[in-house]
Amino acid sequence: MNAPVPHNANKAPPKKGRKLDQVLAGARQVFLADGFDGASVDDIARAAGVSKATLYAYFPDKRLLFMEVARCECDRQAEHALAHIEMDAPIRDVLLQAAQHMIAFFLTDFAQKTFRICVAESNRFPELGREFYESGPMQARARLSTGFREATAKGELAIEDVNLAADQFAELCKADLFARTIFGVSRSYSQAETDRIATGAVDMFLARYGTKP
């Protein structure tokens, strides 16, 4: 289950079927528990409640399965955030809500473990890191850039390079807590701690790109 994967092979959608969700749920559980290398086909099939033949029918390569698990979770988080952000609120409120959702995701067990897996395997399997980057950071940049472009058109922000501004906003949301979690310094945080990072990120961002005093 480790045949070479050509660049962009992961872009093909997985085979549809009634057991696809089972396969993804089982794979997610095993990858998070055992990492990429430690996740065996037997364990994934067992956790998913399917045969190995069924697993191979959906994903002939373990890397493709891991990438689809990562993509689905990133999409789910993005849709959840969009559904709960009040886009018609004042720009500071919109940015605060976006920051809070991003920080919450950055600190999830899934995001942390997937990040570690992609970094650890990037030399052997660069497509893992590439896919996670395209599914996560690049999607976040695209969504933020669209929002920033619209806010600039309405005069709420003054941004020339919306892609750079989107990257900067995401990095501001990683201040302090993300690094502490990645390096195992802390595992949980109070609402006050996450609010501090969100507020600081928004204040810094508006100091550079805001149009109102």
Side-chain angles (χ1 to χ4, degrees):
M1 204 176 185
N2 282 315
V5 179
H7 182 45
N8 286 334
N10 52 297
K11 295 303 180 185
K15 174 185 175 182
K16 299 298 182 182
R18 62 187 179 86
K19 294 189 176 182
L20 176 60
D21 288 344
Q22 279 180 241
V23 170
L24 293 174
R28 187 184 193 280
Q29 175 186 329
V30 176
F31 282 132
L32 292 187
D34 301 333
F36 181 79
D37 255 355
S40 72
V41 176
D42 288 332
D43 288 342
I44 293 173
R46 189 178 304 112
V50 301
S51 67
K52 288 173 65 175
T54 296
L55 181 61
Y56 280 117
Y58 283 107
F59 297 98
D61 187 286
K62 188 168 72 171
R63 283 166 283 177
L64 296 177
L65 177 53
F66 175 81
M67 287 185 266
E68 183 64 13
V69 168
R71 186 193 66 77
C72 287
E73 181 65 16
C74 289
D75 285 351
R76 188 184 72 81
Q77 291 287 342
E79 293 303 320
H80 176 78
L82 287 175
H84 290 82
I85 293 176
E86 300 174 41
M87 301 306 295
D88 294 330
I91 189 62
R92 189 174 192 280
D93 293 342
V94 173
L95 291 173
L96 272 174
Q97 293 174 56
Q100 288 162 347
H101 280 285
M102 293 180 73
I103 293 166
F105 176 62
F106 291 153
L107 300 181
T108 61
D109 193 48
F110 178 89
Q112 292 281 319
K113 288 185 176 179
T114 303
F115 178 82
R116 289 191 181 97
I117 289 171
C118 290
V119 171
E121 301 292 342
S122 61
N123 285 332
R124 291 194 306 157
F125 306 127
E127 64 273 12
L128 294 182
R130 182 187 306 118
E131 176 66 13
F132 184 65
Y133 177 73
E134 292 176 357
S135 298
M138 280 190 67
Q139 287 298 320
R141 173 201 277 180
R143 293 174 187 270
L144 287 171
S145 295
T146 297
F148 292 165
R149 194 174 290 110
E150 292 172 355
T152 297
K154 292 189 291 186
E156 297 174 320
L157 297 173
I159 302 176
E160 292 184 5
D161 188 337
V162 292
N163 287 335
L164 175 60
D167 291 339
Q168 290 170 333
F169 186 75
E171 291 304 314
L172 287 170
C173 291
K174 288 183 177 179
D176 188 21
L177 305 187
F178 180 78
R180 283 164 58 187
T181 308
I182 280 290
F183 293 113
V185 177
S186 301
R187 295 294 182 188
S188 61
Y189 306 96
S190 67
Q191 188 65 50
E193 288 178 290
T194 57
D195 285 348
R196 168 178 169 266
I197 301 303
T199 301
V202 172
D203 287 346
M204 179 71 76
F205 189 81
L206 288 177
R208 171 62 180 85
Y209 296 114
T211 58
K212 296 179 180 179

